[in-house]
Each structure stands twice: as structure tokens, then as C-alpha cells.
Amino acid sequence: MGEVMDRRPYVREMPKSWWLGQRRYTFYMVRELTCLFIGAYALVILVGLFRLSQGPVAYGAFVDALQGPFAIAFHLLALVFALFHTVTWFGLTPKAMPLRLGEKTVPGTAIIVAHYAVWFVVSATLLLVARA
Amino acid sequence: MSEPVLELEVLRYRPETDQDPVFQTYTVPYNSDWVVLDALTHIKDNIDRTLSFRWSCHMAVCGSCGVMINGEPKLSCHTFLRDYYPGKVRVEPLTNFPIERDLVTVADDFMEKLASVKPYVITEEDRPVSAGEHLQSPADLNSFKQYTMCINCMLCYAACPQMGLTPDFVGPAALALAHRYNLDTRDAGREERQEIAASNEGVWDCTFVGACSQVCPKAVDPAAAIQQTKIASTVDWYKALLPWGK
Amino acid sequence: MAKSNKPIVWSLFAGGGMIAAFVLPAMIFITGLAVPMGLLLENALAYDRMLALVGNPIGKLVLFGVIFLSLWHAAHRLRMTLHDLGIRSGRVAMLACYGVAGLASIAAAVVLLSI
Ligand code: SF4
């Protein structure tokens, strides 16, 4: 019989930059960081409502401020990230909420397409109301 | 003409001599029919008998030959050299597991987590054999069949960053198996499993990276199981608030 | 059953993610780009219109829902992401993320009710 050797399991530390090396993890990190823009935009609406409560002059200043180059750049970026959030969020819905009709499992793409259809109607309605 | 060859970089760790793991390069004959496991076996048989690695079935069923191949968790019996040739192939033990020796990892923690979710049918009362078969319709089977395909290869644990960040996390395969038995019409053990699955170390540590499902060689989709468990646990939580809830 | 308060945190996160996915792209486009850049929707944010919208109880509720859920979604995701990035002082991150979201939501309720 061979002698029993000492065990000395080696633990590899996870590097802090784990999300940088592989596309899969970097994609995930970008997806998670969409939250910065979603949160920031919610705060912008909050500020707008606050200015609205202060009367027409204050509110007018807020609307004017939205025209600044920094504001436009922020909203452009926010739109890109918000769309990325929408696409990634809808893409995961069939996993979280699979649908079974009787014996059949509804294909995942059908669930995703249904989300886009609702999204389209909601977006179009918002735009039409804004235009009215 | 010289035979084509391929370079294999293998992470070695010999606890009695190595302070830290080191890469060792082996040159093996290139054969387009070979999988990485064949190359490892060639090394062990012909070049270096001290190389340690796990394997058993050589057909993607036993789940024991999982390693990192060029940074990606894969079954070495299921990964062809031709997909890398003429490039190098870099083989490392599965991430997020301690290394026992060379490519062999310590899987005890996974085994404990797996057992903790009671991955077997639990019935309210013991069913004697004389009670006959426990019938189930094909439709019922279909609702969880994909989760039964798990071979406990732990590739999903190697792919999951939350495993590395939060070692107490129960992890993909175990939670997928909990879900599999919860969905089984013959089973009555959900409440027991929820003790683990719906605890803080259960599904809530998951941030839906989705890597587990991408690397799974059996299309189990643990990420889906975990999200569904989150939703079901949330429904439980709100139900418990209702006066007629339990 | 093991009592965890995660379901409430998570369900608000998921609800916020859903709301944000459906309405934020259009809202950002309208308030942040179309109106300021004068693209077709110049009057969308006019003072009287906004006042009418917020004056309506349903308008108040919808706006509060969007703000609160978006903020909660962002706070929870940010907290998890800070952990992913290796910021281990969970308690500080938790207080900062949920704290800001909570205070801003209260502010939103106060402002909306004042109009
Ligand atoms: S879920 Fe897939 S990757 Fe994970 S252990 Fe089972 S078979 Fe392997």
C-alpha cells in the first residue's frame, strides 16, 4: 500500500476584474450597469415634478435646462442603456415565466415577441399622447 | 513528413512539491477524432504518469471529466481537439473549486449542497411496493424533464461568478434539481426543499448571469429553474401575508 | 419555512425592471430628446399639460409607480453589482442604495401630493 499523502487543497482567488476577460461576463456587467441610467432618469423626473410644484417660472427653467448639451448627451446615453435594458429584460422573460398551454410549452420566442408587441403599443400610445 | 502535433498546456498542482499551481506544456500527436480527454490519456500513458485527472465514461454521461478548456468550463470527453487545432489547448481544473491535485478538484462542498436540497421524490406517506406504479402522464413529465438530464458535472458551478463571490450560494445544479423535484407530480417535498432553496443562500444570491445555462452540456437550463423558484417563493411570501394564507 | 425578506426586495426589483423595460425608452425619448430638440412634440411638456396630468389622481399614481419602481430596481441592481465588483461592505452599500431610493421615493410622494 502506498503511504497516505498530505492533502493541501489549493484555493484560487477570484480576481476583481473577473468580468473584464470574457465577453459573457462583460455583457452581463453592461446589462447590470443599465441601472445607473434608469435610476438617474427617475431622479430627473423627480426634479421635474419638484420644479413643477414650484410654479411656471421654476418649471420653465427646468424645461430649458433639458436643452443643454449635457442634458441631451445624458438622455441620449440613457436612451441607449434603457433600450439595452428592454432588450435584455424581454430576452430573459421566457426563462422566468415559461408558459404552458395544456400539454404544449409555448415557444420562448412567442413570449418575447408578445412582450415587444405590448412594448410597441405602450410606446406608440405615449408618443401619441405626447403629440396630442 | 512529420506527424501533426498539438500543444497542450495543463495546470499542474502537486501539493507535496508545488507551492502554487504551474502550467506544464505537453506536445501530443494531433488527431482530428480526438477529444481533449484522449490527449490527456495519451499524456498519462506515454509521457507523464504523474498527471492526475478524473474521468469515467468518455461519453458525456458520468459528469466527472469537467475542466476549464481555454477558460471555458467543458467536459473534456466532449470537446474535440479539431476545434482548437492548430492553436494551443489550455486545460485547467474547474474554477470556483479548490484544487486537490492537477486537474482534480475538491467537490465536497458541491456534494453537500446537492444533498441539502433533497434531490429525490418525497411522498407524504410511505408507498409500499404493493401500491403499484406511481403513475404520471407524459405531459406531467414534460414539465420538468429537462431538469432530470443533469449529470452533476459542476460546469455550471465553474461558470457562475456568484459561486466565486459568495461561496455559500447553493448554486445552479442543486437549485435546478430542487425545482425538478418540486415540479414532479409524485412529490410532496417542496416545503422541505424551500428551507434551502428560498433561504438567503438559495435562489436570492443569483443575479441571472445566465452563464450556467450557456455552459451546461445537457441543456438543463439551471438559470431558468432559479428564476422560476424566485417567482414561486415570492408568491409564497405574499400569500403568507393574506389572512387566509398559512 | 426559512423566513427571508428577499422576496419583497426582489419582487419590487423585478416589477421595476418590467415597468422600466416597457415605458422608459419612450419616456426618455419624449422628455429628454424630442421635446428639448424640438422634434414634433414641442408642447408635450407644457406647464398646463403637466399640471393637468399630475393633478389627476391616476396620473399621480402612475408617475409615483414609475419613479418608485424604477428607483428600487436601480437600487437593488446597483447593490448586487457593487458586490460583483468586489465592494464587500455589504451594509454600507445596502444603506446607500436602498436609502437613496427610499428617500427619493418619499420625496416623489410628497411632491406629487403637493400639486
Ligand atoms: S446543470 Fe448542467 S452544467 Fe450543471 S451540473 Fe447539471 S449537467 Fe452539469
Side-chain angles (χ1 to χ4, degrees):
Chain A
M1 289 292 283
E3 74 212 87
V4 177
M5 278 185 265
D6 279 344
R7 292 184 58 193
R8 197 162 59 82
Y10 185 89
V11 176
R12 291 161 289 175
E13 286 301 323
M14 186 162 174
K16 280 207 173 170
S17 58
W18 62 271
W19 53 278
L20 276 172
Q22 275 196 44
R23 201 175 327 145
R24 168 188 297 145
Y25 300 134
T26 311
F27 179 90
Y28 159 76
M29 193 50 78
V30 173
R31 184 193 87 188
E32 295 303 281
L33 289 177
T34 55
C35 75
L36 289 177
F37 289 90
I38 285 170
Y41 179 70
L43 292 177
V44 171
I45 315 181
L46 175 57
V47 171
L49 289 173
F50 175 65
R51 302 297 269 167
L52 185 73
S53 75
Q54 292 178 316
V57 180
Y59 181 69
F62 168 76
V63 174
D64 284 345
L66 288 179
Q67 296 179 356
F70 176 77
I72 300 270
F74 163 76
H75 283 99
L76 214 71
L77 259 177
L79 179 61
V80 171
F81 276 87
L83 283 171
F84 191 69
H85 167 74
T86 300
V87 171
T88 50
W89 192 270
F90 288 174
L92 294 175
T93 48
K95 295 199 179 222
M97 301 177 288
L99 204 60
R100 299 179 64 75
L101 287 180
E103 308 231 323
K104 292 238 162 31
T105 306
V106 177
T109 34
I111 298 176
I112 298 178
V113 167
H115 276 87
Y116 277 109
V118 174
W119 178 78
F120 184 80
V121 171
V122 169
S123 301
T125 311
L126 282 172
L127 285 171
L128 285 176
V129 170
R131 185 127 165 70
Chain B
M1 230 184 79
S2 66
E3 299 288 325
V5 293
L6 183 126
E7 278 193 357
L8 215 67
E9 290 178 350
V10 183
L11 194 68
R12 304 289 317 264
Y13 174 62
R14 289 140 295 196
E16 58 283 355
T17 51
D18 294 339
Q19 199 51 42
D20 294 307
V22 284
F23 277 104
Q24 184 166 347
T25 305
Y26 299 99
T27 306
V28 298
Y30 169 68
N31 185 328
S32 67
D33 292 341
W34 273 13
V35 290
V36 172
L37 179 57
D38 295 320
L40 292 173
T41 313
H42 175 88
I43 296 172
K44 184 145 181 105
D45 289 348
N46 302 292
I47 306 176
D48 183 352
R49 286 169 52 194
T50 68
L51 181 65
S52 298
F53 52 94
R54 285 197 182 108
W55 70 284
S56 174
C57 76
H58 206 301
M59 48 193 259
V61 171
C62 75
S64 53
C65 72
V67 288
M68 307 300 289
I69 297 178
N70 289 7
E72 183 83 2
K74 284 182 178 288
L75 298 179
S76 58
C77 71
H78 210 50
T79 309
F80 283 94
L81 294 183
R82 59 172 179 255
D83 295 334
Y84 300 89
Y85 182 79
K88 277 189 208 166
V89 174
R90 178 177 267 235
V91 187
E92 296 163 81
L94 288 178
T95 334
N96 298 332
F97 291 92
I99 309 177
E100 180 77 51
R101 166 181 300 274
D102 296 342
L103 299 174
V104 177
T105 53
V106 184
D108 302 7
D109 180 59
F110 168 71
M111 295 303 168
E112 266 168 40
K113 286 170 176 167
L114 187 60
S116 75
V117 301
K118 308 191 177 178
Y120 36 82
V121 170
I122 298 171
T123 48
E124 301 253 355
E125 285 153 36
D126 280 344
R127 277 176 65 94
V129 177
S130 57
E133 307 93 323
H134 206 153
L135 293 179
Q136 184 167 57
S137 71
D140 286 340
L141 173 64
N142 263 339
S143 66
F144 63 82
K145 190 163 178 210
Q146 70 180 100
Y147 305 119
T148 68
M149 307 309 278
C150 176
I151 56 173
N152 300 338
C153 65
M154 302 177 280
L155 298 193
C156 50
Y157 282 68
C160 174
Q162 299 305 338
M163 281 321 304
L165 294 160
T166 317
D168 286 340
F169 177 34
V170 177
L175 290 168
L177 277 170
H179 190 56
R180 173 248 176 278
Y181 286 96
N182 290 342
L183 290 175
D184 194 318
T185 46
R186 300 164 298 180
D187 180 85
R190 178 166 181 269
E191 220 161 297
E192 292 176 41
R193 286 184 206 102
Q194 283 291 86
E195 296 279 351
I196 302 292
S199 72
N200 285 349
E201 290 71 38
V203 291
W204 308 114
D205 274 337
C206 164
T207 54
F208 209 163
V209 179
C212 52
S213 300
Q214 289 167 356
V215 302
C216 175
K218 293 288 171 182
V220 170
D221 206 348
I226 295 176
Q227 309 323 307
Q228 289 163 33
T229 305
K230 284 181 192 170
I231 293 181
S233 309
T234 302
V235 171
D236 288 350
W237 194 91
Y238 281 102
K239 261 195 196 155
L241 292 183
L242 300 174
W244 55 88
K246 47 173 177 151
Chain C
M1 189 154 47
K3 262 294 158 212
S4 164
N5 60 0
K6 302 272 169 126
I8 186 155
V9 176
W10 182 80
S11 57
L12 291 174
F13 158 79
M18 204 49 120
I19 292 284
F22 277 118
V23 306
L24 284 200
M27 280 182 67
I28 294 173
F29 175 73
I30 295 168
T31 71
L33 297 170
V35 173
M37 290 165 73
L39 307 168
L40 301 168
L41 309 170
E42 294 87 353
N43 288 323
L45 292 184
Y47 179 72
D48 298 339
R49 290 192 57 172
M50 282 300 116
L51 211 56
L53 171 69
V54 180
N56 182 320
I58 296 180
K60 276 194 217 302
L61 201 68
V62 170
L63 277 170
F64 179 74
V66 170
I67 294 177
F68 168 62
L69 288 173
S70 299
L71 281 173
W72 192 272
H73 168 83
H76 179 67
R77 204 167 226 187
L78 187 60
R79 179 186 154 222
M80 302 305 259
T81 307
L82 289 174
H83 183 259
D84 290 347
L85 293 173
I87 292 162
R88 290 292 153 76
S89 52
R91 212 149 253 289
V92 179
M94 189 166 102
L95 279 178
C97 291
Y98 298 134
V100 169
L103 289 177
S105 299
I106 293 170
V110 171
V111 169
L112 282 167
L113 290 174
S114 76
I115 299 177

